[in-house]
Amino acid sequence: MPPEQRGTPTQAVLLAALDEVRELDRPLGPTDAPETLDADYHLRLRLRILGTRAPGLAPPRRTAASPAPMLRPGTAEEASMAPDTAERLDALFTEWYESTGVPFTVLIARNGVTLIHKAYGPRSISVETPFWLASITKAITGVMFAQFVDQGLLALDDPVGAHLPGFPVEGDQTLTFRHCLTHTSGYSGHMEWGGLHNPWLDNVMAHGVGYLQPGRVREYNGMGMNLAGVAMANLAGKSIFRLMQENFFEPLGLAHSGVIDLGGYMYSSAEDLARIGQLLANRGTYGDRVFFSPETLDKLLPVELHTIYPGIYSEWGAGIASMRQPHPRAGQDGLPADATLLSRNVIGHGAASSSIFRVDLDNNLVIVQTRNETGADYDAYALRLYELLDECLRPWRAQTGPRRFSDRFVCVHEVLPGEAAQLLTEKGSLLLVHHCVRGLEEVRPCKHQQQRVFLCAHRGRALMHRVELLHLAQ
């Protein structure tokens, strides 16, 4: 044990765990860690003292419907991306590592198809290496909270006092879980008072409620996440460390992840984090496991907070942030001032470690890079990554295959001014968009004169136009 941990609670927990070691008929697992066993013990004691019965959280259910996309190897064509996407990504990441010397791992996938999954660094770094996720942990806390919302155990606007003693349930100082998860609680700091390793953390925090202004100020912090974590643990009847492992990590197949504190101390491999991203892209389902419904996810997505809390101008969800990437030429070359790379519907979270976690819900694109430090020219390289993905994605959007609406097949393609693009379906070329300019599209149908072609109105973003091809049933 390092000298700085001697004579500390960490040492006491380890010694107590060693004293209780028993022979098991199974291999040791993550929930056998001394910290987890200690938290389990104190939660049982707490519930007994409070006379509280935990209703329990059901595990993710299996669905008989068609499985949702799971991460799998595949080609760029299968992912509906430019054929050279993987090669261009690899070249960029190789340059990024060689010029900065900061190791990292990446996984980028579209429609569940992995385009690249690779480690960049010394031989000691592999794709299984866990990295510090820092505040990406907050987004993952929100995803865990979604299961409680989905099962009716918690709601965003529930008063914290309805689930934890010592907090008001009415009046101006009533704290809700929405306050906790959107940084509008009035609390500050990260991992204060021992964080989630303090079994009575909520009792300490309740003593400061009289000084808070929930819904009237916004201060970025990790303590709101931890307070939500205490409520989740109490309802589940499991310590937060066991809960995250048994009801989240194991069902999702995360093999290289762990939690120290919900405010910003989780570690994970790129693939583990990308699975969480794909779960969000699938709107709550991964394979045949349903963690929560699309309707539940909608409740937790970022919103303009001033629509709920007047005077607070920030876009935030339940631990989930809007990660919209401004276009570097926004306001120039005919692009509107609010033009973006990728879609406007990108969620995720930033990180003090500079790890990347972004999910483009419109394009079903998951972008993950795990690292422990920023390094030189980080912003420039990150921007090049988003530009590359936008370029590789945009011309191939039409090739995701036709979608059936009643008796029609609809194929959608978006083009920017001055671009030429060929619209394809499984039956081959149907329409050539010869040219696109502001307010005018010149369209030339190909051989299929029986096809009906519709040009839809401007969508109000980035001068993008939607071209729909409807193949009517004969």
Side-chain angles (χ1 to χ4, degrees):
M1 177 175 289
E4 64 271 16
Q5 292 186 2
R6 295 173 185 169
T8 65
T10 299
Q11 184 180 37
V13 168
L14 176 60
L15 291 174
L18 290 174
D19 183 63
E20 295 186 6
V21 167
R22 301 292 183 271
E23 184 175 353
L24 301 175
D25 57 358
R26 57 173 176 79
L28 289 174
T31 55
D32 296 309
E35 295 84 356
T36 300
L37 298 176
D38 181 67
D40 290 342
Y41 169 81
H42 283 286
L43 179 64
R44 291 193 300 271
L45 179 61
R46 172 195 170 96
L47 294 177
R48 185 170 182 178
I49 291 172
L50 295 176
T52 302
R53 179 182 177 276
L57 180 73
R61 66 186 184 277
R62 296 191 181 275
T63 176
S66 298
M70 301 172 66
L71 294 180
R72 64 176 179 84
T75 65
E77 287 79 5
E78 290 178 90
S80 298
M81 299 286 284
D84 62 348
T85 300
E87 291 76 11
R88 294 177 63 185
L89 286 170
D90 185 48
L92 173 62
F93 290 135
T94 299
E95 178 190 336
W96 193 343
Y97 169 66
E98 291 180 350
S99 67
T100 65
V102 177
F104 55 82
T105 59
V106 298
L107 195 154
I108 296 175
R110 187 177 187 218
N111 300 325
V113 178
T114 300
L115 296 158
I116 188 169
H117 182 204
K118 189 173 178 179
Y120 295 83
R123 291 183 177 180
S124 59
I125 301 296
S126 76
V127 293
E128 296 181 348
T129 300
F131 285 84
W132 176 40
L133 298 186
S135 284
I136 291 173
T137 307
K138 295 180 174 71
I140 296 170
T141 300
V143 179
M144 182 73 249
F145 189 85
Q147 292 190 52
F148 286 83
V149 175
D150 200 66
Q151 296 184 29
L153 297 174
L154 288 171
L156 272 175
D157 294 312
D158 277 356
V160 172
H163 302 276
L164 297 176
F167 291 87
V169 295
E170 58 183 14
D172 290 343
Q173 291 180 317
T174 299
L175 190 67
T176 70
F177 290 108
R178 189 186 298 273
H179 292 135
C180 292
L181 298 173
T182 60
H183 307 287
T184 55
S185 65
Y187 287 113
S188 62
H190 287 74
M191 212 172 177
E192 304 293 336
W193 307 297
L196 286 174
H197 295 273
N198 178 354
W200 295 97
L201 174 66
D202 57 312
N203 179 265
V204 179
M205 296 179 69
H207 280 79
V209 166
Y211 300 95
L212 303 181
Q213 294 181 301
R216 298 187 291 280
V217 297
R218 183 179 184 277
E219 183 170 354
Y220 187 80
N221 72 95
M223 299 311 297
M225 307 294 162
N226 280 346
L227 192 58
V230 174
M232 289 191 285
N234 280 13
L235 288 168
K238 299 179 181 181
S239 70
I240 194 65
F241 312 109
R242 181 173 298 278
L243 174 66
M244 294 291 285
Q245 186 65 39
E246 294 182 348
N247 289 68
F248 193 172
F249 297 169
E250 288 179 4
L252 196 54
L254 309 191
H256 307 284
S257 298
V259 174
I260 299 173
D261 189 83
L262 294 185
Y265 295 91
M266 177 176 167
Y267 55 89
S268 187
S269 66
E271 181 177 2
D272 281 7
L273 184 55
R275 285 182 180 231
I276 298 173
Q278 191 62 51
L279 173 68
L280 289 170
N282 295 341
R283 305 186 69 81
T285 302
Y286 190 83
D288 66 349
R289 289 292 190 105
V290 180
F291 289 75
F292 48 85
S293 69
E295 293 75 20
T296 293
L297 178 62
D298 287 340
K299 297 175 184 177
L300 306 181
L301 290 177
V303 297
E304 293 288 349
L305 290 179
H306 70 86
T307 63
I308 305 173
Y309 308 125
I312 298 181
Y313 293 93
S314 180
E315 189 176 4
W316 214 270
I320 301 171
S322 172
M323 301 300 290
R324 196 173 297 125
Q325 182 66 40
H327 199 291
R329 298 192 306 280
Q332 308 171 33
D333 303 328
L335 294 174
D338 62 348
T340 63
L341 294 173
L342 305 174
S343 83
R344 298 181 62 80
N345 196 17
V346 179
I347 61 172
H349 209 289
S353 64
S354 292
S355 290
I356 295 172
F357 179 55
R358 299 194 178 198
V359 181
D360 186 334
L361 294 176
D362 287 352
N363 290 311
N364 201 5
L365 181 68
V366 176
I367 308 168
V368 164
Q369 184 191 79
T370 51
R371 54 168 57 223
N372 287 329
E373 58 180 294
T374 304
D377 300 319
Y378 175 87
D379 290 339
Y381 277 110
L383 179 59
R384 286 174 61 186
L385 169 62
Y386 305 135
E387 288 180 313
L388 190 160
L389 289 171
D390 187 73
E391 181 181 343
C392 290
L393 169 70
R394 185 159 30 88
W396 276 266
R397 280 180 179 149
Q399 299 181 30
T400 55
R403 292 178 291 168
R404 182 181 295 275
F405 289 89
S406 183
D407 59 347
R408 300 177 177 183
F409 285 99
V410 180
C411 197
V412 177
H413 185 63
E414 292 176 331
V415 290
L416 288 171
E419 285 188 333
Q422 193 173 21
L423 189 61
L424 302 176
T425 70
E426 292 176 345
K427 294 186 177 181
S429 176
L430 296 178
L431 177 71
L432 180 66
V433 180
H434 183 63
H435 193 56
C436 177
V437 297
R438 187 184 184 108
L440 173 67
E441 297 86 0
E442 179 183 345
V443 179
R444 185 176 67 211
C446 290
K447 300 177 182 178
H448 306 275
Q449 298 297 326
Q450 74 275 18
Q451 308 297 333
R452 296 182 59 187
V453 177
F454 296 82
L455 294 181
C456 294
H458 185 271
R459 296 185 66 195
R461 70 174 208 187
L463 289 179
M464 288 181 143
H465 297 68
R466 173 175 290 182
V467 180
E468 292 190 349
L469 230 120
L470 285 77
H471 183 187
L472 302 184
Q474 301 299 316

